[in-house]
Amino acid sequence: MKQLCMVLLVLCSLQGFAQTDTKKHDDTSSIDGIIAALYDVISGPAGERDWDRLRSLCLPATQFNALMPNREGAIQYHANTVEGYIKLAGPIFKQRGFFESEVHRTVDEYANIAQVFSTYESRFEEKGEPFASGINSFQLMRKDNRWWVVNVLWHNASETYPIPEKYSGK
């Protein structure tokens, strides 16, 4: 009986590892998978995010960059490493919900690289009204039979910078 319990315990443990490996593979086996995983990991109600999952999508040197207007309206460039992004966004996500969803995507792919323009809407509640929209530019690389995030650059839409029709999904 003791041996049977031990075998069941080992099988359950292996099943958990297999699910984790499958999830990681699903996250990185296709462009659809890695983009969906990126949106999924940053979206959710107030609380902690799965930062290890985000790290698993990215290369060690991956950058998270934003182009944002300053108080005078001039566009400024803000760069962060993955860890810098986590340090900046983590406390905000702990305090309030943030849901970002893709509304349109264009992909240019060559050999082992892909450039993805992903039009997004951001909400504080999953079914709430968008408070922002814009375009995420994801630079991806296929290496070791999976996709990696090399770079993320986003720009919020505004009156000065509306979403171009070709990226609107309409």
Side-chain angles (χ1 to χ4, degrees), residues 6 12 16 18 21-22 30 34 37-38 42 50-51 54 76 97 118 124 126 131 146:
M6 186 62 105
C12 288
D21 290 343
T22 300
S30 68
I34 201 162
L38 283 164
I42 65 167
D50 186 351
W51 298 124
L54 179 65
Q76 291 190 315
S118 175
F124 293 123
E126 189 170 12
F131 68 86
R146 58 158 290 174

Side-chain angles (χ1 to χ4, degrees), residues 110-123:
Y110 168 74
N112 291 297
I113 63 174
Q115 169 58 51
V116 180
F117 265 32
S118 175
T119 307
Y120 63 84
E121 292 180 339
S122 300
R123 295 171 171 78

Side-chain angles (χ1 to χ4, degrees), residues 17-40 53 56-57 105 140 144-149:
F17 284 124
Q19 288 173 349
T20 300
D21 290 343
T22 300
K23 184 171 187 154
K24 282 185 181 178
H25 178 71
D26 289 345
D27 281 354
T28 61
S29 63
S30 68
I31 292 172
D32 286 343
I34 201 162
I35 299 300
L38 283 164
Y39 280 111
D40 188 51
R53 185 178 183 199
S56 78
L57 304 173
R105 179 190 310 170
L140 307 175
D144 301 326
N145 296 316
R146 58 158 290 174
W147 285 98
W148 294 92
V149 178

